[in-house]
Amino acid sequence: MMMLEPLHLAAQYPAMAGKSFLAPKADDSHTNLGWNVEKSQLLSRTFGTGHYQLGINCRTFSVDWLEQGQTTDQLPLNGSTHRQLLNWISDQANEKKIGKAYTHRLHYDLPYGPVTPDYTYRLTSEASQEAMIVRFNQAQACLANFLAETGIASELRVWPHHFDLGFYGTLAVPGTQTGTRALGVGMAVPDRLGLGFYYYVSGWNEAGAVSTANMP
């Protein structure tokens, strides 16, 4: 997946918009992203009085500034440096009078080398770019259907640390207190656990994580 690294790195810009402009959440959910199937965009949560969002358009390979859900400004990633992108985002925030400074300080490590100010984004493979879009679309549809069928109340979000799209929700189990069972499900991108995209399921109960080692 040649486009995984640049897209994962680019996803940090909208994630850091959440960190810069929104009140922090204990579970770090203010930094996670939504996936827009129609526009192939990774989107921050809304911020500011204009209901702004910062996004990464995976089809046009660009950083998008949105107002009321519509893209109003766009900067191509291809050929742009990290410094240029930071300056552009800061200029947009100042122009829209967000009232807070945009900062790009990750509080987690990514599996790549350090991003220097002169790091330049390159569109190296349109085929792998399209494959990323298809996989995220499939995961969004699959997991949305699962939530609808099970009645689990949860958002579907992309977490910028591992770049996985998934949900975390509680289950009502007969004979127990509501919320004593929890389920995490998602699609992960290729990493040290697998060379391709894969789906994961994790469960928790009162004792902690549910072991699957002896399950049929």
Side-chain angles (χ1 to χ4, degrees):
M1 278 299 154
M2 298 174 64
M3 288 301 296
L4 174 57
E5 179 176 338
L7 286 175
H8 192 177
L9 290 175
Q12 306 311 310
Y13 297 110
M16 292 303 101
K19 184 176 181 179
S20 300
F21 303 138
L22 296 174
K25 300 288 187 181
D27 62 357
D28 213 32
S29 59
H30 58 295
T31 68
N32 65 25
L33 310 171
W35 175 251
N36 185 305
V37 172
E38 290 74 21
K39 298 180 179 180
S40 304
Q41 287 174 317
L42 288 161
L43 298 172
S44 72
R45 296 186 182 275
T46 57
F47 54 85
T49 57
H51 297 283
Y52 302 115
Q53 289 171 287
L54 192 66
I56 298 298
N57 192 312
C58 294
R59 189 169 298 283
T60 60
F61 198 52
S62 61
V63 181
D64 296 354
W65 187 277
L66 297 90
E67 183 174 354
Q68 302 285 356
Q70 300 300 315
T71 300
T72 57
D73 293 279
Q74 193 175 65
L75 181 67
L77 277 163
N78 197 34
S80 292
T81 66
H82 179 56
R83 179 189 292 109
Q84 289 172 327
L85 292 162
L86 293 181
N87 290 339
W88 183 82
I89 295 169
S90 294
D91 289 344
Q92 291 290 323
N94 291 335
E95 180 183 314
K96 305 301 190 298
K97 295 180 172 54
I98 300 301
K100 296 181 179 180
Y102 177 81
T103 57
H104 191 278
R105 297 192 186 97
L106 305 188
H107 48 286
Y108 44 77
D109 294 324
L110 298 180
Y112 316 111
V115 178
T116 65
D118 293 326
Y119 176 91
T120 303
Y121 287 86
R122 299 294 182 193
L123 180 58
T124 56
S125 172
E126 292 185 0
S128 61
Q129 175 191 19
E130 183 62 28
M132 290 284 293
I133 294 171
V134 169
R135 289 292 189 176
F136 273 97
N137 285 347
Q138 289 175 338
Q140 183 84 6
C142 172
L143 297 175
N145 287 339
F146 182 83
L147 289 174
E149 290 178 6
T150 59
I152 297 174
S154 177
E155 294 180 299
L156 283 174
R157 305 294 291 179
V158 176
W159 293 85
H161 183 191
H162 297 294
F163 212 32
D164 57 324
L165 190 163
F167 71 85
Y168 174 87
T170 55
L171 306 172
V173 182
T176 67
Q177 293 182 351
T178 301
T180 57
R181 302 290 188 272
L183 185 68
V185 182
M187 180 199 72
V189 298
D191 57 18
R192 62 183 179 82
L193 296 180
L195 297 178
F197 290 86
Y198 63 93
Y199 285 80
Y200 63 84
V201 180
S202 300
W204 296 268
N205 58 24
E206 298 94 332
V210 175
S211 174
T212 60
N214 298 318
M215 288 185 179

